[in-house]
Amino acid sequence: MGQELDITSDAIDDVNVLRGKLWDDKSEFDEAKDKSKFRDYETACDRVKAFYKEQHEKQTFDFNVKARVEFKTKKRASMGVWEAMEMLNTLIDESDPDTSVSQIEHLLQTAEAIRRDGKPEWMQVTGLVHDLGKLLLLFGSQGQWDVVVVGCKFSDKIIYPETFKNNPDTYDEIYSTEYGIYQPHCGLDNVMLSWGHDEYLYNVFRHQSSLPDEALAMIRYHSFYPWHREGAYRHLMNEKDAQILKAVEAFNPYDLYSKSDEPCDPAKLRPYYEGLIAKFFPPVLDW
């Protein structure tokens, strides 16, 4: 069986090289899928709705400042990428209305969909690691947070926008304005995104990997649905963000629509992906 897997893996890689697919080519694996069944928050279970209500009430500007200070002054763990995946595998994502599969299953499904479409190795490994920031919850975080901008008015494009009514920033004389503490088109690098698994992992990887900028953007903004799917916060974007948006949009189908794919076998796939991990990450990272 192991030999058969190696032959299959090599065949997929050979085809990918011949096809010469680029990272921003349109996804193909999801062409036959009914996309209306994904990200359906209207019929989401109470667990998902309660998650968003709690985090929208707590995601204040002050909380995010304190979270970043803690990140810079505390080391949570030292381990390799695959070890981190195994550690994460005990977690069920309370924010996700689409699936209850294990985290390692979702990571492998995402990476395998990208691989089947012939995308570059750096994008495959990005799919493999993109949700490792959820380790925050196992490191004592107050919760799993979705991605919004703090320091200015909360967008009505955010899921369940009415749940911000108990967030004190909603009534702050500065934070409640359209631009808040920011300038028009200042760029997303200059705004404070809510502290969650995306922002955390971006900060872990940006100095401890050789991932390209497009990959780091996919990680940092993949949960920022109000921006990359609903068109919010365009008044804060600059020219760089327009390019970054293309990368996030290219990645999103693999994160979202691979969740209904066939189960993956971690043991069989591990040798291939450990080879990719070694190309882009050191053996041990500080988390």
Side-chain angles (χ1 to χ4, degrees), residues 106-116 123-125 127-128 254 258 273:
H106 170 53
L107 294 177
L108 287 169
Q109 285 178 338
T110 304
E112 282 292 276
I114 295 170
R115 185 184 177 198
R116 287 196 302 272
M123 191 169 176
Q124 296 174 37
V125 82
L128 185 72
Y254 299 101
S258 65
Y273 284 107

Side-chain angles (χ1 to χ4, degrees), residues 13 41 47 94 116 123 145-146 174 179 182 215 253 266 273 283:
D13 294 337
Y41 288 98
R47 168 181 58 82
E94 295 179 349
R116 287 196 302 272
M123 191 169 176
W145 311 102
D146 66 345
I174 296 176
Y179 288 97
Y182 309 116
Y273 284 107

Side-chain angles (χ1 to χ4, degrees), residues 213-274:
D213 289 343
E214 291 84 0
L216 293 174
M218 292 171 182
I219 289 169
R220 190 180 196 186
Y221 300 116
H222 74 269
S223 299
F224 197 8
Y225 280 89
W227 175 61
H228 68 72
R229 192 166 80 167
E230 303 299 334
Y233 302 111
R234 294 298 195 266
H235 58 293
L236 299 176
M237 288 175 60
N238 60 17
E239 292 183 6
K240 176 186 175 182
D241 297 327
Q243 296 301 313
I244 290 299
L245 178 59
K246 294 179 182 178
V248 182
E249 290 174 334
F251 178 77
N252 180 246
Y254 299 101
D255 178 26
L256 186 55
Y257 303 129
S258 65
K259 294 173 183 176
S260 63
D261 287 357
E262 292 298 315
C264 296
D265 187 332
K268 291 181 179 180
L269 294 172
R270 181 171 181 170
Y272 174 77
Y273 284 107
E274 283 197 319

Side-chain angles (χ1 to χ4, degrees), residues 103-161:
Q103 290 299 305
I104 199 168
E105 180 80 16
H106 170 53
L107 294 177
L108 287 169
Q109 285 178 338
T110 304
E112 282 292 276
I114 295 170
R115 185 184 177 198
R116 287 196 302 272
D117 269 1
K119 297 302 178 72
E121 289 183 336
W122 64 261
M123 191 169 176
Q124 296 174 37
V125 82
T126 299
L128 185 72
V129 304
H130 74 280
D131 271 346
L132 286 182
K134 293 176 182 177
L135 285 169
L136 267 180
L137 193 65
L138 303 180
F139 293 149
S141 171
Q142 292 187 32
Q144 303 177 64
W145 311 102
D146 66 345
V147 181
V148 301
V149 174
V150 294
C152 65
K153 182 180 180 180
F154 296 116
S155 171
D156 60 5
K157 302 295 186 182
I158 301 170
I159 296 300
Y160 308 131

Side-chain angles (χ1 to χ4, degrees), residues 6 16 22 135 153 172 187 190:
D6 291 339
N16 288 348
L22 301 175
L135 285 169
K153 182 180 180 180
D172 185 273
N190 296 308

Side-chain angles (χ1 to χ4, degrees), residues 273-284:
Y273 284 107
E274 283 197 319
L276 288 192
I277 290 168
K279 291 183 179 181
F280 295 96
F281 298 95
V284 177

Side-chain angles (χ1 to χ4, degrees), residues 72-83:
K72 293 179 180 179
T73 58
K74 179 181 178 182
K75 185 170 73 172
R76 286 141 291 276
S78 294
M79 56 185 164
V81 168
W82 194 273
E83 184 181 358

Side-chain angles (χ1 to χ4, degrees), residues 165-206:
K165 65 181 180 181
N166 291 327
N167 185 312
D169 286 5
T170 299
Y171 309 100
D172 185 273
E173 63 179 355
I174 296 176
Y175 300 155
S176 62
T177 62
E178 182 179 16
Y179 288 97
I181 62 175
Y182 309 116
Q183 296 296 318
H185 304 294
C186 60
L188 295 183
D189 281 340
N190 296 308
V191 306
M192 184 175 290
L193 296 175
S194 52
W195 184 256
H197 75 277
D198 303 51
E199 186 71 3
Y200 162 69
L201 191 64
Y202 164 76
N203 279 279
V204 170
F205 283 168
R206 64 176 177 155

